[in-house]
């Protein structure tokens, strides 16, 4: 009888994160100062980030030790199980083996606390008492609220207005963990007031909420900013997922042929995939297919350009070289709130540009259809973001069926959907709209990007 769950002993939980910067075939393009367009130094970031995270951002060390205090907190829910989706395989009549790495078992219900705990810890160590942040779906905000509370810190969350309205229970969860939550754009910041003046009904975006949180941190004493995705140190902390997965596959003497996961800013998928991308770079497993999944309503990797752009809407953050559809992009109100970001992790973007990873995009109805198949076979109701990965895994399993191939597929199941039931309700009542972000709109936003001399653009 095959095991359904592959579970690591707590003592075998990784003690180090994996930093892919040590293995990159070519170096990263540096982040640039948003005004001078010159490479930034640590001092440019120290107003809003603790020095230890700034060091991790640029570190070339391959293995970075997880401090004992963080490791002890991870033990509340980690190691997370790798689960064989036997019932889904049977339903699809596929010869493929489907596994998923289940991150929905954390207290906030997603992969986000893997970095939230680490970020809160390093801020606390440097004497910071307040953290400002943004949140889309509310997963990141709740993970940070959970983590700051563990270290007796205050947390202020700018929550994208449409998610604030769609997901009131996420707000309650954050407040339960002691956070202050505001619907963004707010009247609390200069950038928020500017946006509301032009457009009082603005439904918000992650880009706007980031600007508000960065402004908050820069203008308040003893306050730092925390980002739930995109940056190198965030991805680094998420590699605990991929390192566990590798150990789990070793236990069953298997190795994935196809790895897939959803991409908002890229942290859950980069963190899961990078230990396997390392094997591709080192030519140990050169043929592994590593596929990011995004919504057609926010097609950053599939229709964007690889070039320098701001991380936020207000142009306050450093310019990052990444796939982007433009920082002024206002996404449609799809239910995968966490996948509505205009850019992507620079590391994931670079590895995609260089061909180590690839990407697909889906409409939200087909994604919810896949999530329902998953719920009716495997039982778990997944977050709309994670449902994108379910859809891709099902598509690959069907492809294996048509070619009669016995491949091993694994997808990252990044979170549960218990606070997303209103979205399922809309889908069940056939009232969910499909959006794709039109090419002309993407071009318009890309025309507003700063001109950087060294930028090599790829074609849309
Ligand atoms: C459950 C879940 N999965 C995935 C994401 C996307 O973020 P990232 O690409 O950084 O993992 C989010 C973001 O909010 C999320 O809540």
């Amino acid at each position: 009888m095959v095991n359904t769950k592959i579970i690591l002993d707590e003592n075998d939980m990784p003690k180090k994160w994996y930093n892919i910067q040590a293995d990159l075939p070519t170096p990263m393009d540096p982040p640039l100062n948003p005004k001078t367009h010159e490479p930034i130094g640590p001092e440019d970031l120290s107003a809003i980030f603790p020095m230890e995270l700034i060091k991790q951002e640029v570190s070339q060390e391959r293995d970075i030790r997880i401090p004992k205090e963080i490791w002890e907190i991870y033990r509340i829910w980690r190691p997370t199980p790798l689960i064989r989706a036997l019932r889904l395989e049977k339903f699809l009549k596929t010869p493929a083996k489907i596994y998923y790495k289940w991150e929905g078992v954390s207290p906030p219900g997603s992969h986000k606390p893997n970095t939230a705990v680490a970020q809160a810890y390093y801020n606390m160590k440097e004497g910071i008492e307040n953290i400002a942040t943004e949140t889309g779906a509310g997963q990141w905000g709740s993970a940070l609220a959970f983590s700051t509370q563990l270290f007796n810190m205050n947390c202020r969350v700018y929550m994208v207005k449409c998610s604030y309205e769609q997901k009131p229970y996420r707000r309650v969860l954050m407040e339960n963990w002691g956070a202050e939550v505001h619907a963004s754009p707010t009247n609390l910041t200069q950038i928020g007031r500017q946006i509301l003046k032009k457009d009082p009904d603005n439904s918000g975006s992650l880009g706007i909420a980031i600007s508000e949180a960065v402004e908050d941190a820069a203008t308040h004493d003893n306050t730092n900013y925390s980002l739930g995705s995109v940056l190198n140190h965030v991805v680094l902390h998420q590699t605990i997922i991929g390192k566990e997965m590798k150990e789990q596959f070793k236990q069953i003497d298997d190795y994935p042929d196809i790895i897939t996961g959803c991409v908002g800013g890229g942290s859950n998928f980069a963190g899961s995939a990078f230990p396997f991308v390392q094997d591709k770079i080192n030519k140990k497993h050169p043929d592994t297919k590593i596929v990011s999944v995004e919504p057609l309503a926010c097609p950053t990797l599939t229709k964007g350009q690889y070039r320098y752009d701001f991380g936020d809407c207000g142009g306050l953050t450093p310019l990052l070289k990444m796939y982007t559809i433009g920082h002024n992009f206002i996404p449609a109100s799809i239910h995968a709130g966490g996948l509505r970001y205009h850019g992507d992790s620079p590391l994931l973007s670079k590895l995609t540009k260089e061909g180590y990873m690839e990407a697909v995009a889906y409409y939200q109805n087909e994604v919810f259809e896949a999530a329902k198949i998953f719920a009716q076979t495997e039982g778990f109701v997944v977050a709309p973001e994670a449902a994108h990965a379910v859809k891709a895994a099902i598509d690959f399993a069907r492809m294996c069926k048509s070619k009669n191939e016995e491949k091993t597929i694994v997808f990252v199941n990044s979170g549960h959907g218990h606070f997303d039931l209103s979205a399922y309700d809309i889908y069940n009542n056939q009232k969910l709209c499909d959006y794709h972000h039109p090419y002309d709109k993407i071009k318009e936003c890309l025309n507003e990007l700063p001109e950087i001399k060294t930028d090599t653009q790829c074609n849309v």
Side-chain angles (χ1 to χ4, degrees), residues 213-248:
V214 170
E215 185 186 321
D216 181 319
T219 53
H220 288 92
D221 282 345
N222 213 0
T223 304
N224 264 354
Y225 167 69
S226 216
L227 185 65
S229 189
V230 180
L231 296 178
N232 302 344
H233 67 265
V234 180
V235 167
L236 171 78
H237 304 149
Q238 293 296 355
T239 58
I240 186 142
I241 310 176
K243 287 194 69 169
E244 283 182 9
M245 275 163 69
K246 237 175 158 177
E247 267 316 299
Q248 287 164 313

Side-chain angles (χ1 to χ4, degrees), residues 195-206:
I195 289 164
L196 288 174
K197 202 169 156 198
K198 268 200 241 159
D199 176 13
D201 296 325
N202 190 301
S203 62
S205 71
L206 270 179

